[in-house]
Structure formats: C-alpha cells, structure tokens
C-alpha cells in the first residue's frame, strides 16, 4: 500500500479546511477548479454551436464529450510522464497546451473539422495533465486523507459544472459562443499561473526515463492484475454510459437542457460530499454497489417522457451515484505501488473519460435512429446490467485487497 514517506508531516488531515491549509494542495485544488470551470464553459458553448449548425444529436453529443476519445491515447503512449522527476514543470507545460487549445476555439469562423481536431489534441494532453495532477495529489496528502481530497475535488467538479452550465447558458444570451470561449481561456490562464506559483517538484521520483516503453510496461502490469482490472472496468463503463445519457439532454429538451445538466452536477456534488465526508472507508465500500445502481436506475423514467420537474429530480438523484467512484478509487490506490501512482491514476481517469466519450457516441448514435428519450432509457438499462453482472468481480478485487495489504 502507498506510504506517506513523501508527505509533509505537518499536513493536517482532519477535514477540508485542514487540507486547504497545505499550500501545494490548495494550489492543485484552485487550478483544478478553474480548469474544470473552463472546460464546462467551453463544452457547453461548443455543444450549442454544433447543435445550431448541424441539428445533429450525434455531433452535438460528440462535441460536448469528444475530447474524451483522445484520453486513451495519452494512457497508451506517454502517461508515464505523470511519474517523471519534474512533475511541476510537466503540469505547467500541459496547462499551457490546454490554454492554447481553448483559445483557438475562440477563433471566429473556425471550421467544425478543425474544432473536432482541437478536441482530440486537448483530450490527449489533458489526460497527461490529469495523471500528473493526481500523482502529485497522492504525494501532497497522506494516504489517510486521499479519499477526502478526491471527494473535495469531485464536489468542486460538480459545483463548477453547476455554475459553468448556468453561467454558460446566461452568457449565451448576451455573447456568441466565441465570447464564452474567451472567458474559458481566461480561467485556464489563471489556473496555469496558480500551478506555477504554488506547486513544487517532488524529490521522491522514478529515475527511469518516462516514455512509450515505460508506459506500456506499467500498463501491462496494471491490466494483468485481476483486482485492478476489475476495479478499472467498473470505474469506466457504468459511469461512461450514464454520461451518454447526459450528452442527449440538449437533443431531448433544448429549452431545459441547462437545468438537467445543472441538476446532474448538483447531484454529483451532494453524493461526493455525503460519501466522502460522512462515511468511513468501510461504509463507502459496502455502499458502492448500491450507488452504481442508483447512477442508472432513475434514467429508466425517460421511457415514459416524464414532466420536466420529474425528469430534473430523476437526474439529480441518479447523479448522486457518481460517488461510487470514491470507494473504487480508494481500493485501486491501495493496490498500486508508490512509483507508478500517477500513471495508474492517469490511466483510470483516461479510461473513465474515454468511456464517457464512448457513452456519448453510443447514445447519440441511438438517438439518430430512435427518440432521445428511448436512447437514454436503453443506455441506462445497459449500465444497470453491467453493474449487476460485474459485481462478483468487484467483490473478488476487494478480497485481493485484503490479502495483499492486510486491510
């Protein structure tokens, strides 16, 4: 199990305030917050722009989540840079690449093909940035505070998404999508400055040169481990399919799509707050299966086209189930050797993001041939089936964790 050898002993870990007293964690957290807000704004602006230009549910869904397709390329090629000897410099460079990509989306008259190309480039580099950030997180905070730190970041992600979608919808009443891209560029720039000013390079790092061979070696070991493989698949597939449901909100009900997206983000915020802050590690593990079911079951209501308030409530309740990622991430970290924590967490995040793109593509493709409501229901039903059928594998992974860590 990961040790605390690289963590400052003075870091208080008694709650969110204790975490934020640590300068490095506060810097990582602030940068993550601004980057998430920028991504939400730019995604909503691009989805709206593509919807207006193409009237295609498939292209609209892919435009909102298309960057996730490229994250798997980062996981397969250069993710080992997340555990390199200069993580601060790596993170700053990757933030600068994201800044340039978001700024390019603000260019008026940019062809849709170029916009989708930018999405793929951004997705590739963002996956490396996530791995680097999460590797630093595992060193900045003690293992005992890891779930709390991830909980705070997940809560913030939900909160920024709520604000981002609401703000994006409001801004689009007065600005063009290009104007919203400019706002997202400014947020990304501030986040880059904060990382450069607060995060330091770590002293305990691999001496091997990061690269394609190192990435493949670690990935092969990761996917050969039955416990880690089961956890990864359960972190990826049910989550990604439900994001596919969310990708159809604009096509399902353009007038209330912002409310649905905000309700989903608020539900995710509440779930992560309750599960990360109020439950013990054992309680989180015991409730992981129920949370994964909760993530999908409410979406089955879309089969009968419920009233807007009922649909909004269903989305809110379902999104609390995203908190199932916390106990699964804890178990994955417990099975991960210290020297490759960044890469493993990067692979987990990249796979989850990639499956979100796959889920959006599947849902969008179904909506091209059926109604968006039917597509949402079908994808949710598949998510329920995957969760139920995969439960024995997750239980076995937990048994492996107990055997290997003595937990």
């Amino acid at each position: 199990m990961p040790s605390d050898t690289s963590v400052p002993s003075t870091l208080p870990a008694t709650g969110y305030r204790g975490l934020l007293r640590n300068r490095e964690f506060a810097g990582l957290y602030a940068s993550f917050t601004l980057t998430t807000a920028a991504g939400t704004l730019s995604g909503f602006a691009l989805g709206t722009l593509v919807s207006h230009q193409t009237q295609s549910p498939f292209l609209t869904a892919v435009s909102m989540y298309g960057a996730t397709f490229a994250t798997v390329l980062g996981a397969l090629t250069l993710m080992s840079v997340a555990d390199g000897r200069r993580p601060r410099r790596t993170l700053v460079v990757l933030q600068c690449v994201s800044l340039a990509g978001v700024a390019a989306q603000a260019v008026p008259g940019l062809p849709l093909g170029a916009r989708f190309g930018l999405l793929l480039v951004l997705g590739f580099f963002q996956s490396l940035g996530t791995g680097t950030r999460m590797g630093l997180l595992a060193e900045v905070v003690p293992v005992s505070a890891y779930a709390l730190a991830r909980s705070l970041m997940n809560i913030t992600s939900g909160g920024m998404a709520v604000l981002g979608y609401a703000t994006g919808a409001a801004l689009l009443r007065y600005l063009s999508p290009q104007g919203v891209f400019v706002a997202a560029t400014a947020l990304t720039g501030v986040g880059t400055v904060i990382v450069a000013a607060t995060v330091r390079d770590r002293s305990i790092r691999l001496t091997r040169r990061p690269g394609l061979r190192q990435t493949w070696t670690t990935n092969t070991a990761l996917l050969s481990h039955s416990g880690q493989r089961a956890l990864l698949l359960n972190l990826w597939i049910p989550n990604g399919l439900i994001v596919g449901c969310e990708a159809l909100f604009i096509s399902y009900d353009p007038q209330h799509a912002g409310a649905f997206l905000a309700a989903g983000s608020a539900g995710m915020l509440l779930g992560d707050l309750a599960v990360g802050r109020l439950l013990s590690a054992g309680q989180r593990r015991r409730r992981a299966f129920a949370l994964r079911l909760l993530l999908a079951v409410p979406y089955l209501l879309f089969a009968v086209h419920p009233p807007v308030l009922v649909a909004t409530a269903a989305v809110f309740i379902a999104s609390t189930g995203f908190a199932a990622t916390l106990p699964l991430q804890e178990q994955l970290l417990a099975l991960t050797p210290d020297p490759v924590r960044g890469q493993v967490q990067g692979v987990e995040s990249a796979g989850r993001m990639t499956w979100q793109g796959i889920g959006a593509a599947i849902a969008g493709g179904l909506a091209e041939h059926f109604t968006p409501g039917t597509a949402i229901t079908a994808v949710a039903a598949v998510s329920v089936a995957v969760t139920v059928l995969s439960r024995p594998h997750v239980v076995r992974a937990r048994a492996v964790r107990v055997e290997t860590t003595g937990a």
Side-chain angles (χ1 to χ4, degrees):
M1 186 170 178
S3 66
D4 291 344
T5 56
S6 62
V7 180
S9 60
T10 58
L11 174 64
T14 56
Y16 295 141
R17 291 183 180 179
L19 286 171
L20 290 171
R21 292 190 188 103
N22 178 272
R23 184 172 182 268
E24 284 189 283
F25 175 79
L28 287 173
Y29 171 73
S31 172
F32 171 80
T33 300
L34 294 170
T35 301
T36 301
T40 303
L41 281 178
S42 61
F44 192 77
L46 184 58
T48 302
L49 187 152
V50 172
S51 180
H52 287 167
Q53 291 188 10
T54 68
Q55 303 298 314
S56 169
F58 174 76
L59 291 177
T60 300
V62 171
S63 69
M64 292 185 70
Y65 298 99
T68 60
F69 286 114
T71 58
V72 70
L73 298 178
L76 292 175
T77 57
L78 296 178
M79 189 58 75
S80 57
V81 303
D83 296 302
R85 299 186 67 179
R86 302 292 297 276
R88 174 186 173 276
R89 182 177 63 182
T90 300
L91 188 55
V92 170
V93 169
L94 293 171
Q95 284 279 127
C96 288
V97 173
S98 295
L99 176 62
V102 176
Q105 290 283 18
V107 175
L110 193 67
L112 286 183
R115 293 191 184 280
F116 281 107
L118 280 171
L119 279 180
L120 295 178
V121 172
L122 285 173
F124 176 82
F125 287 103
Q126 285 172 356
S127 69
L128 304 182
T130 298
T132 305
R133 181 179 282 108
M134 292 301 105
L136 281 166
L137 176 66
E139 297 177 2
V140 167
V141 303
V143 172
S144 59
Y146 175 79
L148 194 66
R150 289 299 294 261
S151 168
L152 180 57
M153 286 190 161
N154 290 345
I155 289 168
T156 301
S157 177
M160 287 300 102
V162 171
L163 292 175
Y165 289 130
T167 303
L171 288 176
L172 285 171
R173 295 183 179 181
Y174 306 100
L175 302 175
S176 66
Q178 283 72 27
V180 178
F181 285 129
V182 170
T185 301
L187 293 176
T188 304
V190 175
T192 302
V193 171
I194 290 175
V195 166
T198 59
V199 178
R200 65 181 178 86
D201 281 326
R202 315 302 295 178
S203 59
I204 301 177
R205 283 280 169 167
L206 285 174
T207 57
R208 292 168 290 179
R209 181 185 297 273
L212 184 62
R213 177 180 294 181
Q214 183 61 38
T215 299
W216 283 2
T217 298
T218 300
N219 286 350
T220 299
L222 171 64
L223 296 176
S224 298
H225 191 289
S226 60
Q228 289 176 315
R229 185 172 61 246
L231 291 170
L232 286 172
L233 292 176
N234 279 271
L235 279 159
W236 294 344
I237 299 176
N239 182 306
L241 291 173
I242 297 307
V243 169
C245 296
E246 296 179 344
L248 291 180
F249 287 162
I250 291 177
S251 301
Y252 177 82
D253 188 345
Q255 291 185 337
H256 298 100
F260 292 156
L261 289 167
S265 298
M268 183 171 64
L269 185 154
L270 177 63
D272 281 313
L273 176 62
V275 173
R277 190 71 178 91
L278 303 180
L279 301 183
S280 67
Q283 290 172 327
R284 285 192 290 269
R285 288 195 299 271
R286 289 192 293 272
R287 287 166 174 76
F289 175 70
L291 287 169
R292 291 203 304 281
L293 283 180
L294 182 63
L295 180 62
V297 169
Y299 280 102
L300 300 179
L301 287 173
F302 280 76
V304 296
H305 301 280
V308 172
L309 289 179
V310 174
T312 303
V315 171
F316 174 82
I317 293 169
S319 296
T320 61
F322 279 114
T325 60
L326 281 174
L328 296 177
Q329 287 168 341
E330 278 186 295
Q331 293 177 57
L332 182 63
L333 183 67
L335 294 173
T336 302
D338 288 8
V340 295
R341 287 181 299 190
Q343 181 172 341
V344 170
Q345 291 180 91
V347 168
E348 181 271 318
S349 177
R352 186 154 38 89
M353 296 293 288
T354 299
W355 262 98
Q356 289 176 7
I358 293 172
I362 291 173
L366 288 174
E368 291 282 351
H369 301 284
F370 305 97
T371 66
T374 300
I376 289 172
T377 304
V379 171
V382 174
S383 180
V384 171
V386 171
T387 294
V388 172
L389 293 175
S390 64
R391 188 184 188 188
H393 301 285
V394 176
V395 172
R396 283 197 291 271
R398 189 179 305 164
V400 171
R401 176 184 182 273
V402 172
E403 179 182 345
T404 57
T405 68

